[in-house]
């Protein structure tokens, strides 16, 4: 129901109703064990950390419905694909993967297939799936995450397909079950939606307007995680710097961080994403003061050209962004800074692109996430003149990576000889003989050690810098 700010918060009654559906499904799925077959569910995730966090809720709800969570879709009786809409590539992949599940229904006629997340939050996509993907049993937008038990129940009981795209209001639901992938790293969503309408971005259209969780609810969740031994908590929101706007100055994002840092324990707090127009000196001062906050800021610049920033509706220019970086480095000389960059936004000239390359050399980011502009239907940029040809976009993209790789390598070499605190994440996927972990600055470190170090902070002396990682030895 809408509260005084017009946002939607699911009431305790609504949550209780969903738990009733969960219980009814559990009865059905556990009755099925009498046929010797334990019901299994698989959650497949695309996209950002917000989606990873949502998938942990989906898995938590599916577990409570009586499903055992498995990684292999082929063994599942319930497959839920959590999709992304930010770039065309992610949408196409999700659809083609889902197409592959059609054949699984021939093997297991009871298989239920559902699609959630940003892609299907769009009415048009939901309708297209209804029309052209008859083997998809249900679709649920991000607003309907907490209503998953009801939706699955309707599918099972009425043998009727369900389609629930978004209507435009992000929804806060407290007390949802969650099945976390890690026992030491946790995502905590602090807000949903976005009000910024950057002209290239589909997110505000699919995830609706911003709505913040209450600080007490976030505090309670963090406190429980830390009590349970979690070492790293990542606070999530599309624009965390506008957290709490609806609370009339009672608690902004910096205040929230300060409150959370009063929790006792050995842990670090990360957060993303920060919009440069809202990143305040107060936030930077808070980061500098609080030892639990990782000395890392992800601050998407998107472009180094003022003309592009205006066309993107970003509400800052290069010099104000640069001032923020200078202030940050004055307060925290060792802070790691990362960014997002879009190459080939409509109208981007060689000069504009040179501005982006100049920003990379001037700021010297520790890490960049770079994207080729992808046209999203319904956004203003999709209908702008001067769309850039694919060949130009990819040529600029390659040039940009070369500039950044050199900078990242130089910065990583400069870490040699330092001792850094690293949260060990277990065996490296690319190099299983080594352990891997991340520094406070979010840099990957490879080192030798016992697998039992996973989930612990270790001090590592850095012996080698590579382009994408550091190498070191445990010193304690
Ligand atoms: N095309 C390319 N990149 C995009 N991003 C968002 N929308 C698009 C798009 N249409 C990038 C931005 C954002 C990151 C999460 O994804 O850089 O910061
Ligand atoms: Fe998209 Fe801009 Fe909102 Fe980020 S701040 S989610 S880029 S509209």
């Amino acid at each position: 129901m809408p509260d005084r700010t017009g946002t939607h918060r699911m009431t305790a009654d609504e949550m209780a109703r969903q738990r009733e559906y969960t219980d009814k499904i559990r009865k059905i799925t556990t009755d099925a064990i009498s046929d010797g077959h334990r019901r299994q569910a698989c959650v497949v995730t695309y996209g950002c950390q917000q989606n990873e966090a949502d998938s942990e809720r989906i898995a938590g709800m599916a577990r409570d419905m009586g499903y055992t969570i498995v990684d292999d879709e082929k063994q599942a009786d319930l497959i839920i694909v959590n999709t992304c809409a930010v770039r065309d590539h992610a949408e196409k992949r999700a659809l083609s993967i889902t197409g592959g599940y059609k054949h699984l229904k021939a093997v297991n006629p009871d298989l239920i297939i559902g699609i959630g997340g940003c892609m299907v939050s769009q009415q048009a996509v939901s309708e297209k799936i209804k029309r052209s993907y008859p083997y998809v049993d249900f679709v649920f937008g991000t607003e309907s995450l907490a209503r998953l038990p009801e939706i699955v129940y309707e599918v099972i009981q009425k043998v009727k397909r369900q389609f629930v795209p978004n209507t435009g209001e992000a929804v806060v639901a407290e007390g949802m079950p969650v099945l976390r992938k890690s026992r030491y790293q946790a995502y905590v969503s602090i807000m949903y939606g976005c009000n910024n309408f950057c002209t290239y971005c589909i997110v505000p259209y699919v995830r609706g307007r911003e709505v913040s969780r209450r600080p007490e609810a976030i505090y309670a969740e963090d406190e429980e995680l830390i009590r349970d031994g979690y070492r790293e908590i990542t606070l999530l929101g599309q624009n965390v710097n506008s957290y709490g706007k609806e609370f009339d100055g009672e608690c902004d994002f910096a205040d929230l961080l300060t409150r959370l840092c009063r929790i006792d324990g050995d842990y670090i707090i990360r957060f993303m994403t920060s919009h440069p127009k809202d990143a305040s000196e107060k936030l930077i001062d808070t980061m500098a003061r609080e030892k639990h906050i990782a000395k890392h800021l992800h601050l998407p610049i998107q472009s180094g050209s003022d003309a592009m920033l205006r066309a993107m509706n970003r509400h800052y220019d290069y010099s104000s962004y640069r001032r923020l970086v200078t202030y940050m480095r004055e307060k925290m000389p060792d802070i790691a800074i990362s960014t997002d960059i879009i190459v080939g936004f409509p109208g981007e000239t060689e000069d504009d692109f040179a501005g982006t390359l100049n920003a990379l050399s001037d700021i010297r980011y520790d890490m960049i996430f770079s994207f080729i502009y992808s046209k999203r239907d319904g956004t203003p940029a999709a209908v702008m003149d001067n769309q850039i040809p694919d060949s130009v976009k990819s040529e600029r993209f390659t040039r940009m990576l070369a500039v950044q790789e050199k900078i990242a390598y130089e910065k990583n070499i400069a870490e040699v000889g330092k001792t850094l605190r690293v949260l060990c994440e277990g065996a490296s996927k690319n190099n299983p003989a080594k352990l891997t972990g991340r520094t406070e600055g979010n840099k990957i470190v490879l080192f030798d050690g016992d697998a039992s170090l996973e989930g612990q902070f270790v001090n590592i002396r850095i012996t080698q810098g590579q382009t994408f990682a550091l190498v070191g030895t445990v010193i304690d």
Side-chain angles (χ1 to χ4, degrees), residues 86-87 200-202 273 298 300 302 314 340-342 369 371-376:
V86 169
R87 282 169 293 274
Y200 49 81
C201 187
I202 194 79
T273 292
H298 183 64
Q302 311 298 1
R314 292 288 290 177
D340 290 345
I341 292 189
I342 296 178
F369 299 87
F371 308 100
I372 288 179
Y373 169 71
S374 169
K375 204 165 151 176
R376 310 313 293 134

Side-chain angles (χ1 to χ4, degrees), residues 28 38 94 147:
I28 297 167
R38 184 178 285 279
R147 288 187 48 216

